[in-house]
Structures are given as structure tokens and as C-alpha cells.
Amino acid sequence: MQEEIRFATFNVCNLAPAGAKLYDNLEPLSPAQYEAKAEWTARQIDLLDADVIGFQEIFSQAALRDVMSRTRHYRAATLAGYDATDIAGRMLPTVALVSRLPLAGAGVAWANFPAGVTVSADRQSADDNACRFARAPLHVQVILPGGQLTDVVVVHLKSRRPDYRHGDGNDAIAYALANLRSLQRRGAEAVALRVLASELGHTGRPRIVLGDFNDIANAVTTAIVMGAGAPCEPGAEMRARLYDANTIQLRQDALRHAGYTNIHDSTYMTIDHILVSEHFHPASPRAIGVLQEVTYLNDHLLLGLPHASDHGQVLARIKLLGNID
């Protein structure tokens, strides 16, 4: 039986066909630019060599299939994902999952928040968008070597980009309020994700939540998703929450640690994460595997390659503990 499984998350940065208009302030890719981006992305995927990869900023599943056809190791892999458009028919960013392990079924996009969760503090006045994910998380059931069914959720939470509204001014207060709106949206999405992840936890199956959280591991929004510090029944502390793979990995080495996935205003941040349930925690008596090592593929961030992603990739290596019944 396969002794190690590898999970990765990869924000590809606006993967779309050549000529597709994505944003008003962004020119479409030319055929040559698309070719360079597709080839680089395919090489990076092969370099990760993960069994399961969660993707963000996928504007076209067809474009992702084209990238997979350019890889050496993923041409036969299974793709789960969905396309989305706005009312004008313009492509919207989504998430996707590619797996070399078998899947138990098609992925399910969680478009709506659970009941009672909304961006607005006034639930009576909340509009439809206040009760929906901006980019629906994708839930896929992956079958691990040995047959263990595992819930994998790919996420892309609201960015830190200020959320300006029509008529906002250009002063410091308007900027602060626009940032607050983004935080409120990301916070509500984090709460919704925590509720949904908790519901999955009731099955007792292993869970992995990975993707672009647009915040560091110690941020309140990320902690909400993990359920860190949440009250629970005595003895159920480990069962109720998720853990940052980087924190619980066995191969901790402070001298070589360079785990950043994004550079913004000369600040190095890790905003892409892999969260796991206790089933992969070395301290859990119910572990079926242990987090051996988390690595970051981020050298391209310093090279300034125009066709490369603006995010580093995160790879988690998990050693399975014997046969899984």
C-alpha cells in the first residue's frame, strides 16, 4: 500500500483562455502570454508531485484541463470543479481539485452560507449576496490508499482588497471602511466554513481544508475556520477542530523555515494554508497518518516572472500509519 500521501494548494493567478476579459483594469492574455502561463503552471504542478491539489483563481475549467494535458504526471488525473459567470456573462474565479487518488463522486460547490450566517449584522436586511460565498468552496470526497474516505474542501476566502462602494470618497475614512467591508466578508465566509467543516466532522471521517485564506494562520478569520479555542465536550478537544499543517509537522527546522506564499508591499506573508483534522495529528490517538513535512514552492515570487503565479504553493507530506481499514 502507498505509505505517503501528498496534498497541495496552488493559487494559479487568473487562469483563463487567451483573449478572455476578466477585470476592467486587467488586459486579457495574448496567445503567447497564455502559452507561457500554461507551460509554467504545468511544470509547477509536476514539481509539486502531489496526490491531491486544490486550485484557486480558475476562470475556466477548460483552461485547467489544457494545463493538465501539458503535465507529465497528471494527464490521467481526475478534475473536479465548476465554471461561473456574472450576469453579463463574464467569467468569474472559482476553485478546483485535481486528484491522482480515486474520488467517491463529483465535487459539490457550497454556494450558500449555512442558515443564520450572513455578512450583514442585520439579518432581516441581508441581501442574497450577504448569504453566499463570493467564491464557493468545493467539497470532494477522496479515497485514500486502503479505502479511507476523506473529506477535502478547497477554499478561496475574500481578499484584503478594499471593498469600495459607489459614491465612496477618496479619503482615509473611506479607505478604512472599504477595508472593514472586506474583513466583514472574509469573517462571515470563515464562520460559514467553520459551520460546514464542523458538520463534516460529525461523520468521524478525516478532513482537509486547503486553499487561499487571504490571511495568516494566526489571524482571527483563520482561527475561526480551525475552531481554535472553541468550547467543546471534555475529551473532544482534538476531534472538534482543525490544525495548521505547518504547525504540527514533525520536521520543524527554524533555520531553514521560509514559509511565505505572498509578498505584498515588501511584506512576506503566508496566506495559503493546509488545515487537517486530528486524523493526521501526531499527538492524536486516532491518527491514521502524521504530518511529516510542509514545504513551500516560492522562489518564483522573487524572480518576478510575468507568467508565474503571485502565490507560492504549499505541499504537505503525510505518512500513513499501517493499513487503513
Side-chain angles (χ1 to χ4, degrees):
M1 188 185 77
Q2 183 176 342
E3 295 182 352
E4 179 182 284
I5 52 176
R6 298 156 68 100
F7 288 82
T9 181
F10 188 170
N11 184 322
V12 297
C13 186
N14 300 336
L15 180 63
K21 185 67 174 177
L22 306 181
Y23 300 110
D24 291 337
N25 62 346
L26 182 66
E27 289 298 317
L29 293 177
S30 69
Q33 289 171 327
Y34 171 79
E35 187 70 16
K37 183 174 185 63
E39 286 293 329
W40 180 87
T41 305
R43 290 194 300 271
Q44 203 74 356
I45 290 170
D46 277 329
L47 188 60
L48 281 169
D49 196 24
D51 297 292
V52 177
I53 306 176
F55 293 92
Q56 301 84 44
E57 296 197 20
I58 302 297
F59 282 81
S60 165
Q61 298 298 312
L64 181 55
R65 290 189 185 94
D66 176 55
V67 169
M68 305 313 295
S69 72
R70 298 166 185 256
T71 65
R72 291 179 292 125
H73 305 306
Y74 293 86
R75 294 177 184 177
T78 303
L79 169 61
Y82 61 96
D83 285 322
T85 57
D86 63 16
I87 57 175
R90 181 177 290 186
M91 294 177 175
L92 294 174
T94 66
V95 301
L97 177 142
V98 168
S99 178
R100 298 188 302 202
L101 298 176
L103 305 183
V108 176
W110 289 339
N112 299 317
F113 288 172
V117 181
T118 176
V119 175
S120 172
D122 182 1
R123 296 179 181 176
Q124 300 301 317
S125 65
D127 59 26
D128 290 341
N129 289 331
C131 299
R132 296 171 59 88
F133 287 97
R135 293 166 290 231
L138 181 69
H139 171 219
V140 183
Q141 292 187 321
V142 177
I143 303 174
L144 300 187
Q148 173 66 64
L149 198 63
T150 297
D151 294 297
V152 180
V153 182
V154 186
V155 305
H156 189 183
L157 300 188
K158 175 67 178 73
S159 73
R160 295 188 177 193
R161 184 178 298 110
D163 182 9
Y164 284 102
R165 301 296 169 86
H166 181 70
D168 281 353
N170 194 31
D171 56 15
I173 294 178
Y175 175 74
L177 289 173
N179 276 283
L180 177 59
R181 292 189 195 104
S182 291
L183 177 59
Q184 289 172 326
R185 160 65 65 177
R186 189 165 63 257
E189 290 184 342
V191 172
L193 190 56
R194 166 96 293 255
V195 173
L196 294 167
S198 295
E199 291 175 354
L200 289 179
H202 295 156
T203 67
R205 295 189 297 262
R207 291 166 293 159
I208 297 178
V209 180
L210 50 79
D212 180 357
F213 289 73
N214 268 306
D215 232 331
I216 62 174
N218 291 332
V220 172
T221 53
T222 314
I224 287 173
V225 178
M226 289 191 284
C232 60
E233 297 179 2
E237 292 83 2
M238 294 198 74
R239 298 183 185 183
R241 59 163 298 181
L242 297 169
Y243 299 87
D244 175 21
N246 183 57
T247 301
I248 66 171
Q249 64 176 311
L250 293 180
R251 295 182 181 175
Q252 296 282 357
D253 185 350
L255 292 179
R256 71 168 182 83
H257 186 68
Y260 61 88
T261 65
N262 187 254
I263 305 174
H264 181 69
D265 289 340
S266 299
T267 300
Y268 292 69
M269 298 183 296
T270 303
I271 60 176
D272 303 82
H273 308 289
I274 297 177
L275 310 181
V276 300
S277 62
E278 65 160 342
H279 302 81
F280 306 108
H281 196 303
S284 172
R286 290 169 289 275
I288 65 170
V290 293
L291 236 308
Q292 290 290 105
E293 186 175 33
V294 175
T295 55
Y296 298 83
L297 280 64
N298 51 24
D299 287 348
H300 60 278
L301 296 178
L302 301 176
L303 298 176
L305 304 174
H307 50 269
S309 173
D310 58 352
H311 282 246
Q313 293 80 58
V314 187
L315 173 67
R317 297 172 51 215
I318 299 172
K319 182 179 179 181
L320 296 176
L321 300 177
N323 293 322
I324 301 174
D325 296 326

Coordinates of all heavy atoms in Angstrom, one line a residue, residues 172-234:
A172 N -9.1 59.0 3.9 CA -8.7 57.9 4.8 C -9.8 57.1 5.4 O -9.8 55.9 5.6 CB -7.8 58.4 5.9
I173 N -10.9 57.8 5.7 CA -12.1 57.1 6.3 C -12.7 56.2 5.3 O -13.1 55.0 5.6 CB -13.1 58.2 6.8 CG1 -12.5 58.9 8.0 CG2 -14.4 57.5 7.2 CD1 -13.4 60.0 8.5
A174 N -12.9 56.6 4.1 CA -13.5 55.8 3.0 C -12.6 54.5 2.8 O -13.1 53.4 2.6 CB -13.6 56.5 1.7
Y175 N -11.3 54.7 2.8 CA -10.4 53.6 2.7 C -10.5 52.6 3.8 O -10.5 51.4 3.7 CB -8.9 54.1 2.6 CG -7.9 53.0 2.5 CD1 -7.7 52.3 1.4 CD2 -7.1 52.8 3.6 CE1 -6.7 51.3 1.3 CE2 -6.1 51.8 3.6 CZ -5.9 51.0 2.4 OH -5.0 50.0 2.4
A176 N -10.6 53.1 5.1 CA -10.7 52.3 6.2 C -12.0 51.5 6.2 O -12.1 50.3 6.5 CB -10.6 53.1 7.5
L177 N -13.1 52.2 5.8 CA -14.4 51.5 5.8 C -14.4 50.4 4.7 O -15.0 49.3 4.8 CB -15.5 52.5 5.5 CG -15.8 53.4 6.7 CD1 -16.9 54.5 6.3 CD2 -16.4 52.6 7.9
A178 N -13.8 50.7 3.6 CA -13.7 49.7 2.5 C -12.9 48.5 2.9 O -13.3 47.3 2.6 CB -13.0 50.3 1.3
N179 N -11.9 48.7 3.7 CA -11.1 47.5 4.3 C -12.0 46.8 5.3 O -11.9 45.5 5.4 CB -9.8 48.0 4.9 CG -8.7 48.2 3.9 OD1 -8.1 47.3 3.5 ND2 -8.5 49.5 3.6
L180 N -12.8 47.5 6.1 CA -13.7 46.8 7.0 C -14.7 46.0 6.3 O -15.0 44.8 6.8 CB -14.4 47.9 7.9 CG -15.4 47.4 8.9 CD1 -14.7 46.4 9.9 CD2 -16.1 48.5 9.6
R181 N -15.2 46.4 5.2 CA -16.2 45.6 4.5 C -15.5 44.3 4.0 O -16.1 43.2 4.0 CB -16.7 46.4 3.3 CG -17.6 47.6 3.6 CD -18.3 48.1 2.4 NE -18.8 49.5 2.7 CZ -18.2 50.6 2.3 NH1 -17.1 50.6 1.5 NH2 -18.8 51.7 2.6
S182 N -14.3 44.4 3.5 CA -13.6 43.2 3.1 C -13.4 42.2 4.3 O -13.6 41.0 4.1 CB -12.2 43.5 2.5 OG -12.4 44.2 1.2
L183 N -13.0 42.8 5.4 CA -12.8 41.9 6.6 C -14.1 41.3 7.0 O -14.2 40.1 7.4 CB -12.3 42.8 7.7 CG -12.1 42.1 9.1 CD1 -11.1 40.9 8.9 CD2 -11.5 43.1 10.1
Q184 N -15.2 42.1 7.0 CA -16.5 41.5 7.3 C -16.9 40.4 6.4 O -17.4 39.3 6.9 CB -17.6 42.6 7.3 CG -17.5 43.6 8.4 CD -18.4 44.8 8.2 OE1 -18.7 45.2 7.1 NE2 -18.9 45.3 9.3
R185 N -16.7 40.5 5.1 CA -17.0 39.5 4.2 C -16.1 38.2 4.5 O -16.6 37.1 4.5 CB -16.7 40.0 2.8 CG -16.5 38.9 1.7 CD -17.8 38.0 1.5 NE -18.9 38.8 0.9 CZ -20.1 38.2 0.6 NH1 -20.2 36.9 0.8 NH2 -21.1 38.9 0.2
R186 N -14.8 38.4 4.6 CA -13.9 37.3 4.9 C -14.3 36.6 6.2 O -14.2 35.4 6.4 CB -12.5 37.8 4.9 CG -11.5 36.6 5.0 CD -10.1 37.1 4.6 NE -9.5 38.1 5.5 CZ -9.4 39.4 5.3 NH1 -9.9 39.9 4.1 NH2 -8.9 40.2 6.1
G187 N -14.7 37.4 7.2 CA -15.0 36.9 8.5 C -16.3 36.0 8.4 O -16.4 35.0 9.0
A188 N -17.3 36.5 7.7 CA -18.5 35.8 7.5 C -18.3 34.5 6.8 O -18.8 33.4 7.1 CB -19.6 36.6 6.8
E189 N -17.4 34.5 5.7 CA -17.1 33.3 5.0 C -16.4 32.3 5.9 O -16.6 31.1 5.8 CB -16.2 33.6 3.8 CG -17.0 34.4 2.7 CD -16.2 34.6 1.4 OE1 -15.0 34.6 1.5 OE2 -16.8 34.9 0.4
A190 N -15.5 32.8 6.8 CA -14.8 32.0 7.7 C -15.8 31.3 8.7 O -15.7 30.1 9.0 CB -13.8 32.8 8.5
V191 N -16.8 32.0 9.2 CA -17.8 31.4 10.0 C -18.6 30.4 9.3 O -18.8 29.3 9.8 CB -18.7 32.5 10.6 CG1 -19.9 31.9 11.3 CG2 -18.0 33.5 11.5
A192 N -19.0 30.7 8.1 CA -19.8 29.7 7.3 C -18.9 28.4 7.0 O -19.5 27.3 7.1 CB -20.2 30.3 5.9
L193 N -17.7 28.6 6.7 CA -16.8 27.5 6.5 C -16.6 26.6 7.8 O -16.6 25.4 7.7 CB -15.5 27.9 6.0 CG -14.5 26.9 5.4 CD1 -15.1 26.1 4.4 CD2 -13.2 27.6 4.9
R194 N -16.5 27.3 8.9 CA -16.4 26.6 10.2 C -17.6 25.7 10.4 O -17.5 24.6 10.9 CB -16.2 27.6 11.4 CG -16.4 27.0 12.7 CD -15.1 26.6 13.4 NE -14.4 25.5 12.8 CZ -14.3 24.2 13.3 NH1 -15.0 23.9 14.3 NH2 -13.5 23.4 12.7
V195 N -18.8 26.3 10.2 CA -20.0 25.5 10.4 C -20.1 24.3 9.5 O -20.4 23.2 9.9 CB -21.3 26.4 10.2 CG1 -22.6 25.6 10.2 CG2 -21.3 27.6 11.2
L196 N -19.8 24.5 8.2 CA -19.8 23.4 7.3 C -18.8 22.3 7.6 O -19.0 21.1 7.5 CB -19.6 24.0 5.8 CG -20.8 24.9 5.4 CD1 -20.4 25.6 4.1 CD2 -22.0 24.0 5.1
A197 N -17.5 22.8 8.0 CA -16.5 21.8 8.3 C -16.9 21.1 9.6 O -16.5 19.9 9.7 CB -15.2 22.6 8.5
S198 N -17.5 21.7 10.5 CA -18.0 21.0 11.7 C -19.0 20.0 11.4 O -19.0 18.9 12.0 CB -18.5 22.1 12.7 OG -17.6 23.0 13.2
E199 N -19.9 20.3 10.5 CA -20.9 19.3 10.1 C -20.3 18.1 9.5 O -20.7 16.9 9.8 CB -21.9 19.9 9.1 CG -22.8 21.0 9.8 CD -23.7 21.7 8.8 OE1 -23.6 21.4 7.6 OE2 -24.6 22.5 9.3
L200 N -19.2 18.3 8.7 CA -18.5 17.1 8.1 C -17.8 16.3 9.3 O -17.7 15.1 9.2 CB -17.4 17.6 7.1 CG -17.9 18.2 5.8 CD1 -16.7 18.6 5.0 CD2 -18.7 17.1 5.0
G201 N -17.4 17.0 10.3 CA -16.7 16.4 11.4 C -17.6 15.4 12.1 O -17.1 14.5 12.8
H202 N -18.9 15.6 12.1 CA -19.8 14.7 12.8 C -19.8 13.3 12.2 O -20.2 12.3 12.8 CB -21.2 15.2 12.7 CG -21.4 16.5 13.5 ND1 -22.4 17.5 13.2 CD2 -20.6 17.1 14.5 CE1 -22.2 18.5 14.0 NE2 -21.2 18.3 14.8
T203 N -19.3 13.1 11.0 CA -19.2 11.8 10.3 C -18.0 11.0 10.9 O -18.0 9.8 10.7 CB -19.0 11.9 8.8 OG1 -17.7 12.5 8.6 CG2 -20.1 12.8 8.2
G204 N -17.1 11.6 11.5 CA -15.9 10.9 12.0 C -14.8 10.7 11.0 O -13.8 10.1 11.3
R205 N -15.1 11.2 9.7 CA -14.1 11.0 8.6 C -13.0 12.0 8.8 O -13.2 13.1 9.3 CB -14.8 11.1 7.3 CG -15.8 10.0 6.9 CD -16.2 10.1 5.5 NE -16.9 11.4 5.2 CZ -18.2 11.6 5.1 NH1 -19.0 10.5 5.4 NH2 -18.7 12.7 4.8
P206 N -11.8 11.7 8.2 CA -10.7 12.7 8.2 C -11.2 13.9 7.3 O -11.9 13.7 6.4 CB -9.6 11.9 7.5 CG -9.9 10.5 7.8 CD -11.4 10.4 7.7
R207 N -10.7 15.1 7.7 CA -11.0 16.3 6.9 C -9.7 17.0 6.6 O -8.8 17.1 7.4 CB -11.9 17.2 7.7 CG -13.3 16.7 8.0 CD -14.0 17.5 9.0 NE -13.4 17.3 10.3 CZ -13.5 18.1 11.4 NH1 -14.1 19.2 11.3 NH2 -12.9 17.8 12.5
I208 N -9.7 17.6 5.4 CA -8.6 18.5 5.0 C -9.2 19.7 4.3 O -10.0 19.6 3.3 CB -7.6 17.8 4.0 CG1 -6.9 16.6 4.7 CG2 -6.6 18.8 3.5 CD1 -6.0 15.8 3.8
V209 N -8.9 20.9 4.8 CA -9.4 22.1 4.2 C -8.2 22.9 3.8 O -7.3 23.2 4.6 CB -10.2 23.0 5.3 CG1 -10.7 24.3 4.6 CG2 -11.4 22.1 5.8
L210 N -8.1 23.2 2.5 CA -6.9 23.8 2.0 C -7.3 24.9 1.0 O -8.3 24.9 0.3 CB -6.0 22.8 1.4 CG -6.5 21.8 0.3 CD1 -6.7 22.4 -1.0 CD2 -5.6 20.6 0.3
G211 N -6.3 25.9 0.8 CA -6.6 26.9 -0.1 C -6.0 28.3 0.3 O -5.1 28.4 1.1
D212 N -6.5 29.3 -0.4 CA -6.1 30.7 -0.2 C -7.1 31.3 0.9 O -8.2 31.6 0.5 CB -6.1 31.4 -1.5 CG -5.7 32.9 -1.4 OD1 -5.4 33.3 -0.2 OD2 -5.6 33.6 -2.4
F213 N -6.6 31.5 2.1 CA -7.4 32.1 3.1 C -7.3 33.6 3.2 O -8.0 34.2 4.0 CB -7.0 31.5 4.5 CG -7.4 30.0 4.7 CD1 -6.7 29.0 4.0 CD2 -8.4 29.7 5.5 CE1 -7.0 27.7 4.1 CE2 -8.8 28.3 5.7 CZ -8.1 27.4 5.0
N214 N -6.4 34.2 2.4 CA -6.2 35.6 2.4 C -5.9 36.2 3.8 O -6.2 37.3 4.1 CB -7.3 36.3 1.7 CG -7.1 36.5 0.2 OD1 -6.0 37.0 -0.2 ND2 -8.0 36.0 -0.6
D215 N -5.3 35.4 4.7 CA -4.9 35.8 6.0 C -4.0 34.8 6.6 O -3.9 33.7 6.1 CB -6.1 36.0 6.9 CG -6.2 37.3 7.6 OD1 -5.1 37.9 7.8 OD2 -7.3 37.8 7.9
I216 N -3.1 35.3 7.5 CA -2.1 34.4 8.1 C -2.8 33.4 9.0 O -3.9 33.5 9.4 CB -1.1 35.3 8.9 CG1 -1.7 36.0 10.0 CG2 -0.4 36.2 7.9 CD1 -0.8 36.8 10.9
A217 N -2.0 32.4 9.4 CA -2.5 31.3 10.3 C -3.0 31.8 11.6 O -4.0 31.2 12.2 CB -1.5 30.2 10.4
N218 N -2.4 32.9 12.2 CA -2.8 33.4 13.5 C -3.9 34.4 13.4 O -4.3 34.9 14.5 CB -1.6 34.0 14.2 CG -0.6 32.9 14.6 OD1 -0.9 31.8 14.8 ND2 0.7 33.3 14.7
A219 N -4.4 34.7 12.2 CA -5.5 35.7 12.1 C -6.8 35.2 12.7 O -7.0 34.0 12.7 CB -5.7 36.1 10.6
V220 N -7.6 36.1 13.1 CA -8.9 35.6 13.7 C -9.7 34.8 12.7 O -10.3 33.8 13.1 CB -9.7 36.9 14.2 CG1 -11.1 36.5 14.6 CG2 -9.0 37.6 15.3
T221 N -9.7 35.3 11.4 CA -10.5 34.5 10.4 C -10.1 33.1 10.3 O -10.9 32.2 10.2 CB -10.5 35.3 9.1 OG1 -9.2 35.5 8.7 CG2 -11.2 36.6 9.2
T222 N -8.8 32.9 10.2 CA -8.2 31.5 10.0 C -8.5 30.7 11.3 O -8.8 29.5 11.2 CB -6.7 31.6 9.7 OG1 -6.5 32.6 8.7 CG2 -6.2 30.2 9.3
A223 N -8.4 31.4 12.5 CA -8.6 30.6 13.7 C -10.1 30.2 13.8 O -10.4 29.2 14.4 CB -8.3 31.5 14.9
I224 N -11.0 31.0 13.2 CA -12.4 30.7 13.2 C -12.6 29.4 12.4 O -13.3 28.5 12.9 CB -13.2 31.8 12.6 CG1 -13.3 33.0 13.6 CG2 -14.6 31.3 12.3 CD1 -14.0 34.2 13.0
V225 N -12.0 29.3 11.3 CA -12.1 28.1 10.4 C -11.6 26.9 11.2 O -12.2 25.8 11.2 CB -11.4 28.3 9.1 CG1 -11.5 27.0 8.3 CG2 -11.9 29.4 8.3
M226 N -10.4 27.0 11.9 CA -9.9 25.9 12.6 C -10.7 25.5 13.9 O -10.6 24.4 14.3 CB -8.4 26.3 13.0 CG -7.4 26.3 11.8 SD -5.7 26.4 12.3 CE -5.6 28.1 12.8
G227 N -11.4 26.5 14.4 CA -12.1 26.2 15.6 C -11.3 26.3 16.8 O -11.6 25.7 17.9
A228 N -10.1 27.0 16.7 CA -9.2 27.1 17.8 C -9.8 27.7 19.1 O -10.4 28.8 19.0 CB -7.9 27.8 17.4
G229 N -9.7 27.0 20.2 CA -10.2 27.6 21.4 C -11.7 27.5 21.6 O -12.3 28.0 22.6
A230 N -12.4 26.9 20.7 CA -13.9 26.8 20.8 C -14.3 25.8 21.9 O -13.6 24.8 22.1 CB -14.5 26.4 19.5
P231 N -15.4 26.1 22.7 CA -15.8 25.2 23.7 C -16.3 23.9 23.1 O -16.9 23.9 22.0 CB -16.9 26.0 24.4 CG -17.4 27.0 23.4 CD -16.2 27.3 22.6
C232 N -16.0 22.8 23.8 CA -16.5 21.5 23.4 C -16.6 20.6 24.6 O -16.2 20.9 25.7 CB -15.5 20.9 22.3 SG -13.8 20.7 23.0
E233 N -17.1 19.4 24.3 CA -17.3 18.4 25.4 C -15.9 18.0 25.9 O -14.9 17.9 25.1 CB -18.1 17.2 24.9 CG -19.5 17.6 24.5 CD -20.2 16.3 24.0 OE1 -19.6 15.2 24.0 OE2 -21.4 16.5 23.6
P234 N -15.8 17.7 27.2 CA -14.5 17.2 27.7 C -14.0 16.0 27.0 O -14.8 15.0 26.7 CB -14.8 16.9 29.2 CG -16.0 17.8 29.5 CD -16.8 17.9 28.2

